[in-house]
Amino acid sequence: MKQSCLTNTREHENGYSFTHQLVNLFTHFRMKITLILLLSLFLEHTALCQDIYLSGKAMYDHNIPMDYAVVMLCREDSIIRTELTEENGSFTMNNLSQGSYMLIVEQLGVKLYSRSIELAGNMDLGTINITKTMELQTVTITGKKPLIARKTDRLVFNVENSTAAIGGDALEALKITPGIRVQNGQITMIGRSNMNVMLNERPVQLTGDDLINFIRNIPAGEIQRIEVITNPTAKYDAEGNSGLVNIVTKKAKLNSLGGSITTALSKSKGYIGNEGFNLNFQKDGLTFSSSISYSNGTIQPYQKYTLFYPNYLWQEENNKKNYINNLGGRFTIEYKLNSKIKMGGEYSTSNNLPLAKVNNSSFIYNKSNVLDSIIINESRIEADRKTNSFNFYTIMELDTATGKKINFDMDYTNYQSGINNSFYSNTLHKDERMNFFSANNFSNLNIDILTSKVDVEYPTRWINLNFGAKLTFINNNSDVSFYNTTSGNSVIDPLQTNEFRYKENMQALYVSGTKQLTGNLEIQLGLRGENTQTTGHSKTLDKIDRKRYFKLFPSVFLNYMFSEDKIVSFNYNRRINRPSYNNLNPFRFYSTTFNYAEGNPFLQPYFSDNLEWSCTYKNSYISLNFNYINNRYDEVTYVQPNSAIQVIKPENFYNQMNYGLFYGYYFNIRNFWESSNDIYAFHSQVQSKIPDIIPNISAWSGSITTNNTFMIDKGGKYKAELNFLYQFPSLAGSYELSEFYQLDMGFRTHFFNNKLQFSLTVLDVFKTNKKTFTQVVNKIRQENYDYADIRRIRFSLVYNFGNQFKMKKRNNSNEDEKRRIK
């Protein structure tokens, strides 16, 4: 697609046929392997259901939980079982047998506690009190939790142990998180096409600049850790080949009032201003939080588009000026009825009034490279987008001692969009003939999303169970009208005017279980089933398309702990990508006289299978990943040798296989230089189902990233930053992508006991993040050069007042559906 930019080249055919057979074999046996594992877990339960358990809680000085400590159960100098304590210091060891044991609690290799126990039946040790200076070892506890740790289904980055994050915000913390990249207002996960952000296990209902502004308003000092979930479990929606990032904040302060005021100004070709205000209140059982943000300014991207037709060359330059005008807000309230029940709600809104002014010039040359004609297009695109979302939730603690609880959510979202695209075109031929054309293209979209879900956490003595259900109802009404204004009067064109109605209902069930198989080995198995019914109706074209499908999405996680700082894991899951609602609408939307985009009501969802092996060792992380995508869709710019018309349309037309090796390393030299670095090497293969139109392509690629923070003074008040990314040539979907690199520099400091924070950032210092996307369609090569006006300088001030406390974000049940609004 011209706007989305991407491309394509030849494929290594000999290697592909063998690997393709392996993929088919793997896909065929996927469900059988999962069912065998589930059966094995059940048989093990029946064999061990009579075993006993040992539990307890490790605390510092009676009141501070000792999280992520290593609890070992030993017999005759052999380690029988190893467990990590939870956030509240608790631990449980299941499937034990009777006998005499030695219980040892360690952290960072330091023995903090030991005692002999006689296990004759189920035993609760209660609170294990560990003082700051233990007579057992006569050492003072000064160690920290490991910077990088591993849980069953996620990588844990302990932000509170990072010097670079002190005095910064959540965005700064994400920059140094393994496997995460923050570039030019975009947060991405290596090896994943998409990524979603959660706050305390609650998905954040924001995208683009709104999401970045929200994350910037979270002080790094309020963050305990960041969790990276590359392959989500059955608990989460199966939608999207995407990972999850969960930002976990520290415990909230009671009876507090606080907030922050943010202002920022950035300069590239134009200016962009951002303002934000947050206010939070907590009193007894009532918690209220709110945030308001406003953005206004311009960006000026540039594109150059070249088509190599057999008989002529088409060169097109696109100069655009995008005006930003966005107001957003979020308001939440929660009330604790008693010790076991909490109820709350959330309202979020966004009012976006973007405006785009586009100047498009096309130059057509004949075989002799002589200019044949010139086409000048001018367009003005006005939009009005509004989103209003409501959430109501209830949390019921069934058993506070064991952690059994029920979460219930009900959500409603309404999205409205209106677009007025007025454009004209002048065509000047070499014989001085001139053609003029003008039109108005109107589009209106109204989407209603209603969802409800229930999640149950039900730990038992032999397995920790999670299960739940979700219902989704979606109504999408859209229409497009096209008026020819060439004569000076508006004349409707019925062939390019359309009304489209789309309905989607989905019912989902899931169950997952986590079990400690041995002292060092833990397994989690999950299965999610989704039943979907869709109906697409084009009233103007009198076309109705109905789809019904039920799909299963298994997940498997294995974790083996050699020691506290050396853990090996393996995981697998299956995902689905459903088309956005606009992609299903068959209407045409014109960008120039010769170029239009249209949806495809027959577009099918595509599925992906993901495998990952990883190892964490001290401050390093390594992973091998494999990803196979079946029947993937992408936007194709259809061109013909004998026609100047360019049609952009999404199609299911290829399978894709990716595999890669990632290595990340973090170091801190004497609290002066803190550095987070990663290298990623990967291979991508695209097998086209229409090779006569779009050929197969494959490529080896890689990337190098380094993020560095330098403490200018001993106290760390003044910090300098130097970040660099280099991306080798690669594939982006069905397109080839050229190499690019980017250097960023920054400075930040704070005043008045960290209440006032100042930062200065220069992005893309040498203006080198320039990309060229290439695709071949019908043997016609298309090249799209793109520079998104990235180089800029940014100043920001944040003032924190009152007593800050954690902003609780609700896990809205319709996040998956809202992400498909594009």
Side-chain angles (χ1 to χ4, degrees):
M1 170 184 172
K2 183 163 78 172
Q3 286 85 348
S4 65
C5 321
L6 301 145
T7 194
N8 165 4
T9 190
R10 295 184 182 175
E11 173 201 15
H12 305 304
E13 305 219 355
N14 294 335
Y16 186 83
S17 59
F18 174 72
T19 52
H20 185 54
Q21 292 176 17
L22 288 178
V23 170
N24 287 336
L25 185 64
F26 165 73
T27 305
H28 178 72
F29 288 105
R30 179 185 60 244
M31 286 303 301
K32 292 183 179 180
I33 293 171
T34 304
L35 291 174
I36 290 172
L37 287 171
L38 288 168
L39 180 61
S40 299
L41 185 59
F42 174 77
L43 292 176
E44 182 189 13
H45 161 59
T46 55
L48 298 176
C49 62
Q50 301 300 320
D51 290 345
I52 56 182
Y53 72 89
L54 173 69
S55 62
K57 180 179 290 188
M59 304 287 287
Y60 279 125
D61 293 333
H62 297 284
N63 60 357
I64 303 176
M66 187 178 179
D67 54 350
Y68 297 106
V70 179
V71 182
M72 294 180 290
L73 198 64
C74 305
R75 176 190 285 169
E76 298 178 354
D77 297 328
S78 296
I79 298 176
I80 304 301
R81 181 66 53 83
T82 301
E83 285 286 345
L84 281 178
T85 58
E86 300 293 335
E87 293 178 47
N88 61 359
S90 64
F91 65 90
T92 302
M93 295 180 175
N94 296 307
N95 305 327
L96 300 175
S97 55
Q98 298 179 353
S100 300
Y101 296 92
M102 176 65 70
L103 181 75
I104 300 174
V105 180
E106 289 186 354
Q107 197 166 54
L108 296 173
V110 178
K111 185 191 292 185
L112 305 177
Y113 177 89
S114 69
R115 63 171 283 189
S116 299
I117 60 172
E118 188 71 29
L119 201 60
N122 296 330
M123 179 180 290
D124 185 356
L125 298 174
T127 299
I128 300 173
N129 183 44
I130 298 172
T131 60
K132 292 294 184 181
T133 304
M134 298 299 298
E135 292 183 358
L136 178 67
Q137 292 293 315
T138 63
V139 295
T140 301
I141 307 305
T142 58
K144 299 177 181 178
K145 289 180 290 186
L147 185 69
I148 302 173
R150 181 80 201 188
K151 287 186 176 181
T152 306
D153 60 347
R154 63 196 65 191
L155 180 75
V156 178
F157 180 68
N158 288 305
V159 177
E160 57 187 352
N161 294 343
S162 169
T163 307
I166 297 175
D169 55 41
L171 200 65
E172 301 293 334
L174 283 170
K175 285 182 180 179
I176 58 176
T177 301
I180 301 299
R181 285 187 180 160
V182 179
Q183 285 252 312
N184 313 317
Q186 298 291 326
I187 306 172
T188 58
M189 181 179 292
I190 294 177
R192 291 291 175 265
S193 57
N194 297 296
M195 195 205 73
N196 302 310
V197 177
M198 300 188 297
L199 182 64
N200 300 317
E201 284 288 334
R202 318 289 188 203
V204 178
Q205 314 177 49
L206 302 170
T207 58
D209 291 338
D210 291 335
L211 175 62
I212 296 298
N213 292 333
F214 175 80
I215 293 175
R216 280 198 175 109
N217 284 329
I218 304 174
E222 296 291 324
I223 301 174
Q224 182 179 11
R225 65 183 182 274
I226 295 176
E227 299 174 341
V228 181
I229 308 172
T230 53
N231 285 338
T233 66
K235 174 183 177 180
Y236 303 102
D237 289 320
E239 169 67 27
N241 182 30
S242 57
L244 297 170
V245 167
N246 183 34
I247 301 173
V248 180
T249 58
K250 297 176 181 178
K251 299 297 182 182
K253 294 180 180 179
L254 298 177
N255 301 321
S256 60
L257 174 67
S260 65
I261 301 173
T262 304
T263 182
L265 179 68
S266 62
K267 173 69 172 70
S268 53
K269 289 183 179 180
Y271 290 91
I272 298 178
N274 302 98
E275 314 295 333
F277 175 74
N278 299 279
L279 182 65
N280 310 292
F281 172 77
Q282 204 286 328
K283 176 67 174 176
D284 299 327
L286 178 65
T287 301
F288 171 80
S289 66
S290 63
S291 66
I292 299 174
S293 63
Y294 178 69
S295 301
N296 190 286
T298 61
I299 58 174
Q300 300 180 43
Y302 171 79
Q303 287 182 323
K304 186 176 181 180
Y305 186 52
T306 306
L307 293 98
F308 298 87
Y309 287 95
N311 298 318
Y312 57 93
L313 177 69
W314 183 299
Q315 289 186 340
E316 182 177 313
E317 291 188 4
N318 193 320
N319 291 280
K320 183 183 292 187
K321 193 170 186 178
N322 292 329
Y323 294 82
I324 300 169
N325 186 2
N326 186 33
L327 176 65
R330 183 185 66 89
F331 308 90
T332 68
I333 188 169
E334 179 181 277
Y335 186 72
K336 190 172 184 179
L337 297 177
N338 52 49
S339 61
K340 293 188 175 183
I341 300 177
K342 288 189 294 187
M343 301 179 70
E346 176 179 323
Y347 168 67
S348 61
T349 182
S350 176
N351 189 358
N352 191 5
L353 299 171
L355 169 65
K357 296 180 180 179
V358 186
N359 179 278
N360 184 291
S361 302
S362 300
F363 303 90
I364 296 93
Y365 298 88
N366 61 25
K367 277 188 174 182
S368 303
N369 202 30
V370 175
L371 184 63
D372 181 81
S373 55
I374 301 174
I375 305 170
I376 305 296
N377 291 277
E378 296 279 353
S379 62
R380 177 186 175 93
I381 305 172
E382 301 177 46
D384 184 355
R385 302 188 178 103
K386 294 182 176 66
T387 304
N388 290 282
S389 298
F390 301 87
N391 164 258
F392 171 77
Y393 66 89
T394 301
I395 301 174
M396 300 178 61
E397 300 279 353
L398 302 179
D399 188 339
T400 55
T402 60
K404 296 176 182 176
K405 64 180 180 180
I406 298 177
N407 295 272
F408 173 77
D409 281 84
M410 180 76 73
D411 290 89
Y412 171 73
T413 295
N414 175 258
Y415 174 80
Q416 298 180 27
S417 173
I419 299 175
N420 177 10
N421 177 23
S422 58
F423 65 94
Y424 72 85
S425 174
N426 273 314
T427 304
L428 178 64
H429 301 272
K430 63 180 179 180
D431 57 5
E432 297 186 356
R433 288 184 298 109
M434 181 177 290
N435 297 108
F436 175 79
F437 179 81
S438 66
N440 263 26
N441 200 184
F442 296 94
S443 171
N444 292 289
L445 179 65
N446 190 313
I447 301 175
D448 290 302
I449 304 172
L450 178 64
T451 62
S452 64
K453 72 170 183 176
V454 60
D455 297 292
V456 180
E457 298 179 23
Y458 199 85
T460 66
R461 292 179 179 178
W462 71 278
I463 192 171
N464 290 331
L465 283 175
N466 288 272
F467 53 90
K470 179 179 178 180
L471 297 175
T472 302
F473 306 92
I474 301 170
N475 282 308
N476 173 11
N477 297 321
S478 58
D479 61 79
V480 167
S481 53
F482 188 92
Y483 292 86
N484 189 324
T485 59
T486 305
S487 64
N489 298 316
S490 294
V491 180
I492 192 168
D493 184 345
L495 297 179
Q496 301 185 68
T497 298
N498 185 36
E499 291 184 49
F500 184 70
R501 303 292 179 262
Y502 176 81
K503 291 186 178 181
E504 178 177 301
N505 296 330
M506 192 262 288
Q507 307 85 38
L509 293 171
Y510 79 88
V511 61
S512 68
T514 304
K515 184 177 180 62
Q516 194 79 31
L517 297 180
T518 68
N520 303 87
L521 180 63
E522 186 178 46
I523 186 172
Q524 182 185 103
L525 298 175
L527 186 64
R528 186 181 184 91
E530 294 187 355
N531 187 41
T532 307
Q533 311 90 40
T534 68
T535 301
H537 180 201
S538 174
K539 289 188 174 182
T540 306
L541 302 178
D542 195 24
K543 289 183 179 179
I544 298 178
D545 181 63
R546 292 186 174 90
K547 299 184 181 72
R548 305 285 187 273
Y549 55 91
F550 174 77
K551 299 294 180 181
L552 292 175
F553 303 93
S555 61
V556 180
F557 295 84
L558 289 169
N559 235 30
Y560 189 86
M561 178 186 292
F562 290 93
S563 62
E564 183 183 7
D565 58 5
K566 185 179 180 181
I567 302 174
V568 174
S569 65
F570 166 84
N571 61 70
Y572 160 79
N573 75 353
R574 193 179 194 223
R575 309 284 289 174
I576 183 174
N577 279 70
R578 297 181 177 90
S580 67
Y581 311 120
N582 278 339
N583 277 340
L584 296 168
N585 192 341
F587 72 77
R588 294 179 178 181
F589 191 86
Y590 283 79
S591 56
T592 71
T593 310
F594 296 93
N595 182 289
Y596 66 86
E598 64 180 358
N600 182 357
F602 303 104
L603 210 58
Q604 300 289 328
Y606 65 81
F607 300 87
S608 62
D609 294 278
N610 307 284
L611 286 166
E612 182 185 52
W613 172 91
S614 66
C615 176
T616 58
Y617 180 65
K618 295 183 177 179
N619 289 341
S620 64
Y621 173 71
I622 186 171
S623 71
L624 285 167
N625 56 72
F626 173 87
N627 167 249
Y628 180 75
I629 304 173
N630 182 47
N631 200 34
R632 185 171 182 174
Y633 58 78
D634 205 348
E635 289 182 325
V636 179
T637 302
Y638 285 100
V639 289
Q640 300 288 342
N642 56 354
S643 173
I645 301 298
Q646 303 150 24
V647 181
I648 303 166
K649 186 177 182 179
E651 297 281 5
N652 294 94
F653 72 92
Y654 69 99
N655 299 331
Q656 184 170 353
M657 181 171 64
N658 310 292
Y659 48 88
L661 173 65
F662 173 85
Y663 176 71
Y665 181 70
Y666 172 95
F667 65 83
N668 189 328
I669 300 178
R670 298 188 178 183
N671 289 330
F672 160 71
W673 177 17
E674 187 168 328
S675 182
S676 176
N677 310 274
D678 65 65
I679 299 175
Y680 183 46
F682 59 95
H683 185 263
S684 299
Q685 289 181 315
V686 171
Q687 183 187 30
S688 174
K689 297 181 179 181
I690 46 174
D692 293 338
I693 299 175
I694 303 175
N696 301 325
I697 55 176
S698 67
W700 279 99
S701 185
S703 63
I704 301 172
T705 305
T706 178
N707 294 283
N708 302 273
T709 302
F710 302 92
M711 317 301 159
I712 300 176
D713 64 319
K714 290 185 178 180
K717 180 178 180 180
Y718 303 98
K719 299 177 182 179
E721 297 180 354
L722 185 67
N723 306 319
F724 179 76
L725 162 70
Y726 182 84
Q727 174 68 58
F728 292 89
S730 61
L731 300 187
S734 61
Y735 295 73
E736 290 178 334
L737 173 61
S738 65
E739 65 176 351
F740 63 90
Y741 60 95
Q742 179 173 329
L743 177 70
D744 302 334
M745 302 174 67
F747 168 82
R748 54 190 166 99
T749 187
H750 57 86
F751 308 95
F752 310 121
N753 195 25
N754 206 30
K755 287 189 174 181
L756 181 64
Q757 299 170 0
F758 169 79
S759 66
L760 168 66
T761 307
V762 183
L763 300 176
D764 197 12
V765 176
F766 300 111
K767 199 178 180 180
T768 51
N769 194 335
K770 303 174 181 179
K771 304 172 184 178
T772 299
F773 299 83
T774 308
Q775 188 178 53
V776 177
V777 179
N778 288 321
K779 299 181 181 180
I780 299 173
R781 183 178 177 85
Q782 309 169 31
E783 293 182 356
N784 191 345
Y785 168 86
D786 179 57
Y787 186 71
D789 197 15
I790 294 170
R791 184 168 67 174
R792 65 182 59 243
I793 183 170
R794 185 178 189 273
F795 304 86
S796 73
L797 280 173
V798 179
Y799 178 71
N800 302 309
F801 60 89
N803 295 317
Q804 290 278 311
F805 70 96
K806 178 174 64 177
M807 298 173 64
K808 297 186 178 180
K809 189 78 174 115
R810 187 62 206 147
N811 184 11
N812 292 354
S813 62
N814 64 0
E815 293 303 319
D816 170 47
E817 290 74 23
K818 287 162 62 179
R819 281 191 291 271
R820 294 165 62 196
I821 299 175
K822 296 181 182 178

